PDB file of all heavy atoms in Angstrom:
ATOM      1  N   VAL A1091      18.404  -2.560 -15.060  1.00 98.00           N
ATOM      2  CA  VAL A1091      19.351  -3.321 -15.877  1.00 98.00           C
ATOM      3  C   VAL A1091      18.651  -3.686 -17.183  1.00 98.00           C
ATOM      4  O   VAL A1091      17.589  -4.313 -17.162  1.00 98.00           O
ATOM      5  CB  VAL A1091      19.821  -4.616 -15.158  1.00 98.00           C
ATOM      6  CG1 VAL A1091      20.905  -5.305 -15.975  1.00 98.00           C
ATOM      7  CG2 VAL A1091      20.314  -4.322 -13.755  1.00 98.00           C
ATOM      8  N   LYS A1114      22.490 -10.204   8.498  1.00 94.00           N
ATOM      9  CA  LYS A1114      21.096 -10.561   8.239  1.00 94.00           C
ATOM     10  C   LYS A1114      20.962 -11.227   6.867  1.00 94.00           C
ATOM     11  O   LYS A1114      21.814 -11.056   5.993  1.00 94.00           O
ATOM     12  CB  LYS A1114      20.226  -9.300   8.237  1.00 94.00           C
ATOM     13  CG  LYS A1114      20.051  -8.675   9.616  1.00 94.00           C
ATOM     14  CD  LYS A1114      18.898  -9.344  10.349  1.00 94.00           C
ATOM     15  CE  LYS A1114      18.719  -8.891  11.764  1.00 94.00           C
ATOM     16  NZ  LYS A1114      18.065  -7.603  11.902  1.00 94.00           N
ATOM     17  N   GLY A1120      10.375 -14.956  -6.377  1.00 93.00           N
ATOM     18  CA  GLY A1120       9.685 -14.494  -7.574  1.00 93.00           C
ATOM     19  C   GLY A1120       9.754 -15.591  -8.611  1.00 93.00           C
ATOM     20  O   GLY A1120      10.651 -16.449  -8.559  1.00 93.00           O
ATOM     21  N   ARG A1190      43.060 -26.688  -5.599  1.00 97.00           N
ATOM     22  CA  ARG A1190      43.707 -25.586  -6.324  1.00 97.00           C
ATOM     23  C   ARG A1190      42.721 -24.439  -6.559  1.00 97.00           C
ATOM     24  O   ARG A1190      43.073 -23.267  -6.445  1.00 97.00           O
ATOM     25  CB  ARG A1190      44.225 -26.125  -7.660  1.00 97.00           C
ATOM     26  CG  ARG A1190      44.951 -25.075  -8.465  1.00 97.00           C
ATOM     27  CD  ARG A1190      45.702 -25.690  -9.627  1.00 97.00           C
ATOM     28  NE  ARG A1190      46.152 -24.635 -10.515  1.00 97.00           N
ATOM     29  CZ  ARG A1190      46.735 -24.836 -11.676  1.00 97.00           C
ATOM     30  NH1 ARG A1190      46.947 -26.067 -12.104  1.00 97.00           N
ATOM     31  NH2 ARG A1190      47.118 -23.831 -12.419  1.00 97.00           N
ATOM     32  N   ALA A1207      47.502 -21.119   2.133  1.00 97.00           N
ATOM     33  CA  ALA A1207      46.253 -21.235   1.372  1.00 97.00           C
ATOM     34  C   ALA A1207      45.734 -22.671   1.427  1.00 97.00           C
ATOM     35  O   ALA A1207      44.529 -22.896   1.568  1.00 97.00           O
ATOM     36  CB  ALA A1207      46.471 -20.792  -0.066  1.00 97.00           C
ATOM     37  N   PRO A1223      39.075 -34.109   4.289  1.00 97.00           N
ATOM     38  CA  PRO A1223      39.385 -32.939   3.453  1.00 97.00           C
ATOM     39  C   PRO A1223      40.825 -32.917   2.928  1.00 97.00           C
ATOM     40  O   PRO A1223      41.057 -32.435   1.818  1.00 97.00           O
ATOM     41  CB  PRO A1223      39.107 -31.745   4.376  1.00 97.00           C
ATOM     42  CG  PRO A1223      39.072 -32.304   5.749  1.00 97.00           C
ATOM     43  CD  PRO A1223      38.627 -33.719   5.634  1.00 97.00           C
ATOM     44  N   HIS A1232      34.717 -33.764 -10.650  1.00 94.00           N
ATOM     45  CA  HIS A1232      33.897 -34.911 -11.050  1.00 94.00           C
ATOM     46  C   HIS A1232      34.015 -36.076 -10.064  1.00 94.00           C
ATOM     47  O   HIS A1232      33.215 -37.003 -10.088  1.00 94.00           O
ATOM     48  CB  HIS A1232      34.237 -35.364 -12.483  1.00 94.00           C
ATOM     49  CG  HIS A1232      35.548 -36.077 -12.597  1.00 94.00           C
ATOM     50  ND1 HIS A1232      36.715 -35.431 -12.949  1.00 94.00           N
ATOM     51  CD2 HIS A1232      35.884 -37.368 -12.378  1.00 94.00           C
ATOM     52  CE1 HIS A1232      37.708 -36.300 -12.941  1.00 94.00           C
ATOM     53  NE2 HIS A1232      37.232 -37.481 -12.604  1.00 94.00           N
ATOM     54  N   ARG A1241      28.872 -28.216  -1.602  1.00 90.00           N
ATOM     55  CA  ARG A1241      29.593 -27.830  -0.390  1.00 90.00           C
ATOM     56  C   ARG A1241      30.941 -27.217  -0.737  1.00 90.00           C
ATOM     57  O   ARG A1241      31.382 -26.253  -0.112  1.00 90.00           O
ATOM     58  CB  ARG A1241      29.836 -29.063   0.494  1.00 90.00           C
ATOM     59  CG  ARG A1241      28.599 -29.539   1.194  1.00 90.00           C
ATOM     60  CD  ARG A1241      28.816 -30.948   1.726  1.00 90.00           C
ATOM     61  NE  ARG A1241      27.543 -31.520   2.110  1.00 90.00           N
ATOM     62  CZ  ARG A1241      27.080 -31.531   3.355  1.00 90.00           C
ATOM     63  NH1 ARG A1241      27.793 -31.042   4.324  1.00 90.00           N
ATOM     64  NH2 ARG A1241      25.909 -32.040   3.617  1.00 90.00           N
ATOM     65  N   LEU A1276      24.712 -23.034   6.023  1.00 86.00           N
ATOM     66  CA  LEU A1276      24.740 -21.593   5.719  1.00 86.00           C
ATOM     67  C   LEU A1276      24.378 -20.775   6.950  1.00 86.00           C
ATOM     68  O   LEU A1276      24.990 -19.742   7.227  1.00 86.00           O
ATOM     69  CB  LEU A1276      23.765 -21.269   4.582  1.00 86.00           C
ATOM     70  CG  LEU A1276      24.266 -21.525   3.165  1.00 86.00           C
ATOM     71  CD1 LEU A1276      23.162 -21.258   2.158  1.00 86.00           C
ATOM     72  CD2 LEU A1276      25.469 -20.645   2.847  1.00 86.00           C
ATOM     73  N   GLU A1282      28.747 -17.625  12.534  1.00 84.00           N
ATOM     74  CA  GLU A1282      30.169 -17.580  12.832  1.00 84.00           C
ATOM     75  C   GLU A1282      30.851 -16.360  12.219  1.00 84.00           C
ATOM     76  O   GLU A1282      31.661 -15.705  12.849  1.00 84.00           O
ATOM     77  CB  GLU A1282      30.810 -18.873  12.316  1.00 84.00           C
ATOM     78  CG  GLU A1282      32.236 -19.012  12.749  1.00 84.00           C
ATOM     79  CD  GLU A1282      32.832 -20.362  12.357  1.00 84.00           C
ATOM     80  OE1 GLU A1282      32.064 -21.308  12.089  1.00 84.00           O
ATOM     81  OE2 GLU A1282      34.070 -20.449  12.317  1.00 84.00           O
ATOM     82  N   GLY A1284      29.195 -13.688  10.596  1.00 87.00           N
ATOM     83  CA  GLY A1284      28.415 -12.445  10.602  1.00 87.00           C
ATOM     84  C   GLY A1284      28.193 -11.855   9.220  1.00 87.00           C
ATOM     85  O   GLY A1284      27.955 -10.655   9.089  1.00 87.00           O
ATOM     86  N   THR A1335      -0.694 -19.323  -2.469  1.00 90.00           N
ATOM     87  CA  THR A1335      -1.772 -20.296  -2.666  1.00 90.00           C
ATOM     88  C   THR A1335      -1.440 -21.308  -3.765  1.00 90.00           C
ATOM     89  O   THR A1335      -2.150 -22.284  -3.945  1.00 90.00           O
ATOM     90  CB  THR A1335      -3.120 -19.600  -2.996  1.00 90.00           C
ATOM     91  OG1 THR A1335      -2.892 -18.663  -4.044  1.00 90.00           O
ATOM     92  CG2 THR A1335      -3.702 -18.894  -1.801  1.00 90.00           C
ATOM     93  N   ASN A1383      -3.140   1.857 -16.182  1.00 97.00           N
ATOM     94  CA  ASN A1383      -2.502   3.120 -16.576  1.00 97.00           C
ATOM     95  C   ASN A1383      -1.432   3.634 -15.621  1.00 97.00           C
ATOM     96  O   ASN A1383      -0.566   4.395 -16.024  1.00 97.00           O
ATOM     97  CB  ASN A1383      -3.569   4.218 -16.714  1.00 97.00           C
ATOM     98  CG  ASN A1383      -4.563   3.863 -17.800  1.00 97.00           C
ATOM     99  OD1 ASN A1383      -4.180   3.290 -18.815  1.00 97.00           O
ATOM    100  ND2 ASN A1383      -5.838   4.164 -17.580  1.00 97.00           N
ATOM    101  N   ALA A1389       6.185   1.959  -1.332  1.00 91.00           N
ATOM    102  CA  ALA A1389       6.554   2.938  -0.295  1.00 91.00           C
ATOM    103  C   ALA A1389       7.721   2.406   0.530  1.00 91.00           C
ATOM    104  O   ALA A1389       8.200   1.300   0.302  1.00 91.00           O
ATOM    105  CB  ALA A1389       5.347   3.213   0.585  1.00 91.00           C
TER     106      ALA A1389
END
Side-chain angles (χ1 to χ4, degrees):
V1091 186
K1114 290 275 175 78
R1190 182 168 169 186
H1232 74 265
R1241 286 164 194 263
L1276 278 176
E1282 188 174 341
T1335 50
N1383 298 323

